[in-house]
Amino acid sequence: MFTASTLSGRKSEQYAQLVEQARALLDGERDRVANAANLSALVNQALPQLNWVGFYFFDGTELVVGPFQGLPACVRIPLDKGVCGAAASSRSTQRVADVHEFPGHIACDAASRSEVVVPLVRGDELIGVFDLDSPVPARFDADDQAGLEALAQVYVESLA
């Protein structure tokens, strides 16, 4: 059963608590839109200093915006553009301390300064990406990356 609670302890412990909350929240639901909407809301409420949290789904050609929390977003992102495209095409997490220094960065929200994008992959299938932006430069560290990758895995597992 899902229960939201305040996160406590070291950052790694907070992410472990958030992963457990996400598992409970997504338990028994297989719909990708419903789960993306709930996970976006959960993460947006739980983590500080964010201005965008959401999903882009791969439609076979490009990334298309899915459920998110934040200002209106770019609707379509080619795989050869921006941080999201880089994560999708390389299938590896992109953690960017200053988005203005990232070649080809797409500025959907001018307030964004740092970003982390986790690819969503099941087997060989690219599902999309899980994207977080912050108005704070270098907001995301290795602990954030590991925690967000674990949350992304919970999401992918919920679709199986």
Side-chain angles (χ1 to χ4, degrees), residues 106-160:
I106 301 168
C108 294
D109 182 347
S112 293
R113 292 295 312 276
S114 58
E115 185 171 8
V116 62
V117 182
V118 181
L120 304 168
V121 179
R122 179 176 47 205
D124 292 333
E125 175 193 11
L126 175 64
I127 296 166
V129 298
F130 182 39
D131 180 20
L132 290 87
D133 292 9
S134 173
V136 177
R139 156 64 180 88
F140 305 103
D141 62 18
D143 287 333
D144 291 300
Q145 181 174 334
L148 295 168
E149 288 171 343
L151 286 166
Q153 186 59 37
V154 169
Y155 175 79
V156 169
E157 290 169 1
S158 78
L159 306 178

Side-chain angles (χ1 to χ4, degrees), residues 81-83 96 98-110 112-115 133:
K81 300 286 184 207
V83 181
V96 180
D98 184 349
V99 295
H100 299 298
E101 294 181 7
F102 189 89
H105 173 253
I106 301 168
C108 294
D109 182 347
S112 293
R113 292 295 312 276
S114 58
E115 185 171 8
D133 292 9

Side-chain angles (χ1 to χ4, degrees), residues 69-81:
Q69 301 280 311
L71 292 178
C74 304
V75 175
R76 296 181 179 275
I77 300 177
L79 295 188
D80 63 347
K81 300 286 184 207

